[in-house]
Amino acid sequence: MPSSLQASYEEARRRLVSELKARGYIRSQMVEMAMLTVPRELFVPEDLRGKAYEDRPLPIGHGQTISAPSIAAYMTELLELSEGMRVLEVGTGSGYSAAVLATIAGERGHVWTIERVPELAARAEAILKQLGYGDRVTVIVGDGSLGYRQAAPYDRILVTAASPRVPRPLVEQLAENGVMVIPVGGKEGQVLTVIKKEGGQVYEKADLEVIFVPLVGAEGWQDQG
């Protein structure tokens, strides 16, 4: 990539992060650092790279999108992620969120990310390896509503697809004192829900209204016709 174009992307990234801080989507230094570090332009289709730092979702193929940067930042803040944690992400998509999570979790942490579309998983894995995240992110092709028991329990679980209710396997795979963030609701709209497991009890708190693509395989979609 020409140095002038690279500099242009970096300046756009700095402007976006500054804007998201001013709007309250970014509140912590760790999320700010991760958003400044990860090159979002590499995770969007090449013909859309000029729009990579606009605050809106962009199509990535197969009916999927990369979330708006504000939502990606906000969900990461709700996750209360810190260095060294084990993270499960449901809905790899472009791989951008996995890179943000892995940046915060650091070399002592690890991110397992599940994608049901093999082509998207392969593309995300290639970009993550190219950027040096290959040893910190494991990409899995599968049904994210079932989680990934092989590496459970997880300190944090981030679900980037909508579910009518919180999938039981994900609750079971959440560690004690763990936190999960998931969009819960119908296909027309959901609410970001923060799940915390403390003392063997599970607590839920509703937060921001959002719209995400459905989590295929999640229990309850068949009830909505």
Side-chain angles (χ1 to χ4, degrees), residues 110-124:
H110 199 90
V111 176
W112 289 263
T113 180
I114 307 176
E115 173 55 53
R116 67 180 180 84
V117 180
E119 294 84 354
L120 289 180
R123 181 177 184 275

Side-chain angles (χ1 to χ4, degrees), residues 35-48:
M35 297 285 285
L36 284 170
T37 300
V38 180
R40 190 171 188 262
E41 70 273 11
L42 296 185
F43 291 91
V44 304
E46 195 165 350
D47 61 331
L48 294 176

Side-chain angles (χ1 to χ4, degrees), residues 1-193:
M1 185 181 296
S3 59
S4 59
L5 183 57
Q6 181 66 41
S8 174
Y9 283 133
E10 290 175 357
E11 176 58 28
R13 195 181 312 142
R14 285 192 293 268
R15 285 199 306 269
L16 175 64
V17 169
S18 179
E19 176 188 338
L20 295 182
K21 284 181 66 179
R23 292 164 58 195
Y25 288 104
I26 294 178
R27 303 189 296 267
S28 68
Q29 288 186 343
M30 296 191 78
V31 173
E32 178 183 2
M33 174 272 297
M35 297 285 285
L36 284 170
T37 300
V38 180
R40 190 171 188 262
E41 70 273 11
L42 296 185
F43 291 91
V44 304
E46 195 165 350
D47 61 331
L48 294 176
R49 286 183 177 177
K51 302 179 185 296
Y53 294 103
E54 296 179 8
D55 189 25
R56 61 181 176 124
L58 295 170
I60 57 172
H62 302 276
Q64 306 299 305
T65 61
I66 179 173
S67 296
S70 56
I71 294 299
Y74 191 73
M75 292 181 76
T76 306
E77 290 284 10
L78 289 178
L79 207 59
E80 300 177 7
L81 180 61
S82 59
E83 186 180 0
M85 287 187 170
R86 299 164 56 82
V87 185
L88 175 67
E89 181 193 32
V90 175
T92 310
S94 69
Y96 174 75
S97 181
V100 170
L101 297 173
T103 300
I104 298 173
E107 293 183 2
R108 295 189 300 111
H110 199 90
V111 176
W112 289 263
T113 180
I114 307 176
E115 173 55 53
R116 67 180 180 84
V117 180
E119 294 84 354
L120 289 180
R123 181 177 184 275
E125 185 173 37
I127 297 169
L128 289 163
K129 286 182 177 178
Q130 173 190 336
L131 292 173
Y133 292 101
D135 60 341
R136 285 185 275 165
V137 179
T138 300
V139 180
I140 302 137
V141 176
D143 180 352
S145 68
L146 300 176
Y148 186 65
R149 293 191 183 278
Q150 291 89 322
Y154 303 98
D155 301 302
R156 299 290 186 266
I157 298 178
L158 180 65
V159 184
T160 58
S163 179
R165 56 182 65 97
V166 182
R168 285 169 290 187
L170 299 185
V171 175
E172 292 168 357
Q173 293 170 38
L174 187 63
E176 176 68 15
N177 298 316
V179 178
M180 181 193 325
V181 176
I182 177 173
V184 177
K187 292 182 178 179
E188 302 303 315
Q190 309 90 34
V191 175
L192 282 183
T193 303

